[in-house]
Amino acid sequence: MIDRSVPRRVLPAPESRGVATRPAALPVRPRTGRLLVLATVFVCAACGLVYELELLALGSYLIGDSVTQASIVLSVMVFAMGVGSLLAKRLRRRPAFGFGAIEAALALIGGLSAMALYASFAWLGESRPALVAFSFAIGVLIGAEIPLLMVLIQRIRRQDAGGAVADLFAADYVGALVGGLAFPFLLLPLLGQLTGALLTGTVNTLAGGGLVLWLFRRDLSRRSRWLLIGVNVTVVAVLASATVLADDFERVARRAVYGGEVRVAVQTGVQELVLTGPGTGSPRSLDLYLDGRLRVSGYDEYRYHEALVHPAMTGPHSRVLVLGGGDGLAAREVLRYPDVASVTVVELDPGVVRLARTDPMLSRLNAGAYADPRLGVVTQDAFRWLRGPGTRDRFDVIVSDLPDPGITPSTKLYSQEFYGLAARALRPGGRIAVHAGPLAGRPRTYWTVETTLRAAGLRTAPYSAGGRLTGFAAGPDRTLGGAGPPQDWGFVLAARAAVPELRVDRDTPGLRSLSTRALQDATRDAERTRLDGLPPSTLPHPRYS
């Protein structure tokens, strides 16, 4: 029985639009059927947003620069949704079958998207084409949902177009809210990126297939019904098999990315930590990757950390602050000075600190820095911590051992506002040493850091130091374990009162790669590459790319 309480006065006759005219023969009352359709819209919207966030997160992790990856995914997906809405016109004559087929395809493609993206990065060394392709395919399928659902819900109970659209979009937006919250707070921490996407695809299949094969089963021919059953069973079987094999796939892909000696792989709430190299022997064979980027190479990390720390330690250095540096290697260099009274390490990720404390190879490399009673740890965002009370005029030396400024999450830690807070935390005569990215490789980024420090009221001395190539974990043909081609590390030493002098004390304990003459040569070489007229980077206008 069709509810005729709502007059048919808004929509033109369906026959004039070429859409199926007969009311749906449902196994439940129309009101219940309508609620089931809206519940399916809710579930499918949640799944669709999870796919979108999965692509955003994995694209940023594998490729870097989260702003660029978010722009690519969102713009391609929104465009593709428009394409999908237009293509859905061809399916309105068979809306139930069309919706069932679309949901099965969306569940399969969305569920496997994270695994396919990671495989592309691991074995091909490039994942951006796959990111664009999956964003487009998922967007087309999501865009085709609403037009077909509009036809289905109108066949249950006719109502004015505005009311039907309002109901569908209300369910869609609430579902998107739930999916958006479930991804970072439930799926990602509990299941990880790969298994989370596969489980979402399974839920998507059951919701879409269940609605069509039960509620609208009488709208399907016998052949269509069995075809949809076969397709949905196949999709569930593929996703279930992929879920069972996800751990093995991840191990194989990780070996393709990092080489055969992956010893530790941990997904913290902040990033993925990977340690490669043997568990015994020389720590020079150790490599530490954070979110796919090589951050520590035991082969030559001492060149980086000596150049970062020791020029800042030539003045007063009783109280030292290390921003980042949870691996303990910058703290190791600071603690070489017996007259250092205290070292405070501010590290966002407690997982890095835990690894530096407990892993035998990494703790050997940092010389057991965390066992020194002079060292204290704060696990907090460095920007937020510097804004807190009790930091003004507190430290003689600040060492900024942070990821490259070109990595979007680090951009605020290279801003004028951040350096203003850091300068406020310095005692009179104190110094700040900043890792500013490669001078030769990205001179514009480097000199933007230097300009930003000056804009914060600091006087600067630029310099660089040589080392092994660092950056993204490469594909199987470009493994980064062991010695590699040289690359410079760029640094800036800054102070409030006057331009700091670049030198190191001759009696500095344990110094292996640094001398005052080398630093003076490095600063002269750096000045030859200076780019004048660059604007500083601020929070509302970041200048790094």
Side-chain angles (χ1 to χ4, degrees), residues 46 50 100 136 143 179-180 205 229 283 319 353 390 397 415 433 474 502 505-506:
V50 169
F136 184 81
T205 309
I229 290 174
R319 297 174 66 85
V353 175
V397 176
S415 65
L502 277 169
D505 294 333
R506 290 184 177 181

Side-chain angles (χ1 to χ4, degrees), residues 155-376:
R155 292 196 55 220
I156 293 175
R157 189 183 71 181
R158 298 296 301 278
Q159 65 182 112
D160 65 279
V165 169
D167 291 341
L168 286 174
F169 277 102
D172 186 81
Y173 293 151
V174 175
L177 171 66
V178 172
L181 295 176
F183 176 73
F185 296 114
L186 183 63
L187 294 177
L188 193 58
L190 295 182
L191 300 176
Q193 293 173 320
L194 303 187
T195 305
L198 293 167
L199 178 63
T200 302
T202 304
V203 172
N204 199 163
T205 309
L206 297 176
L211 178 77
V212 172
L213 291 171
W214 181 68
L215 190 63
F216 292 99
R217 63 181 182 270
R218 295 173 186 172
D219 282 10
L220 302 172
S221 66
R222 181 182 179 87
R223 180 180 178 183
S224 297
R225 190 182 306 120
W226 282 107
L227 179 59
L228 283 181
I229 290 174
V231 167
N232 280 275
V233 168
T234 301
V235 170
V236 171
V238 169
L239 295 176
S241 300
T243 302
V244 172
L245 299 173
D247 289 341
D248 292 334
F249 167 83
E250 194 169 350
R251 281 192 292 270
V252 173
R254 190 178 288 120
R255 283 198 297 270
V257 174
Y258 300 107
E261 292 186 325
V262 176
R263 186 162 51 80
V264 178
V266 179
Q267 181 70 53
T268 71
V270 178
Q271 59 199 338
E272 183 187 54
L273 312 179
V274 174
L275 268 179
T276 67
T280 58
S282 171
R284 286 170 59 88
S285 58
L286 175 146
D287 284 330
L288 172 63
Y289 296 86
L290 306 182
D291 271 351
R293 298 173 181 86
L294 180 62
R295 284 287 290 149
V296 172
S297 166
Y299 176 76
D300 63 355
E301 57 77 23
Y302 67 92
R303 297 180 184 274
Y304 169 90
H305 290 100
E306 287 184 358
L308 173 65
V309 171
H310 292 288
M313 299 291 288
T314 53
H317 51 248
S318 177
R319 297 174 66 85
V320 179
L321 171 65
V322 178
L323 303 173
D327 49 42
L329 299 172
R332 174 198 66 197
E333 298 300 321
V334 172
L335 292 169
R336 293 186 189 278
Y337 295 81
D339 51 344
V340 168
S342 68
V343 182
T344 302
V345 175
V346 180
E347 167 62 51
L348 176 63
D349 189 354
V352 177
V353 175
R354 190 180 309 113
L355 196 63
R357 289 181 187 271
T358 59
D359 183 79
M361 291 288 281
L362 188 54
S363 61
R364 279 183 60 190
L365 195 63
N366 64 35
Y370 283 101
D372 194 305
R374 295 175 291 172
L375 189 146

Side-chain angles (χ1 to χ4, degrees), residues 367-398:
Y370 283 101
D372 194 305
R374 295 175 291 172
L375 189 146
V377 182
V378 177
T379 53
Q380 193 174 343
D381 175 75
F383 197 108
R384 179 179 298 178
W385 187 80
L386 282 174
R387 292 186 68 184
T391 60
R392 184 181 293 274
D393 299 329
R394 182 174 170 184
F395 299 99
D396 299 300
V397 176
I398 297 177

Side-chain angles (χ1 to χ4, degrees), residues 409-443:
S410 301
T411 301
K412 73 173 183 178
L413 304 180
Y414 288 84
S415 65
Q416 182 177 337
E417 293 87 346
F418 180 76
Y419 292 136
L421 293 172
R424 189 182 67 174
L426 279 179
R427 288 177 171 177
R431 296 178 168 199
I432 301 176
V434 175
H435 163 232
L439 174 57
R442 295 201 300 276

Side-chain angles (χ1 to χ4, degrees), residues 1 3 26-40 152-153 156-157 211 214-216:
M1 179 70 65
D3 184 355
L26 304 178
V28 295
R29 291 183 301 174
R31 183 181 181 86
T32 303
R34 187 170 174 277
L35 289 175
L36 290 174
V37 171
L38 294 176
T40 303
L152 291 176
I153 203 168
I156 293 175
R157 189 183 71 181
L211 178 77
W214 181 68
L215 190 63
F216 292 99

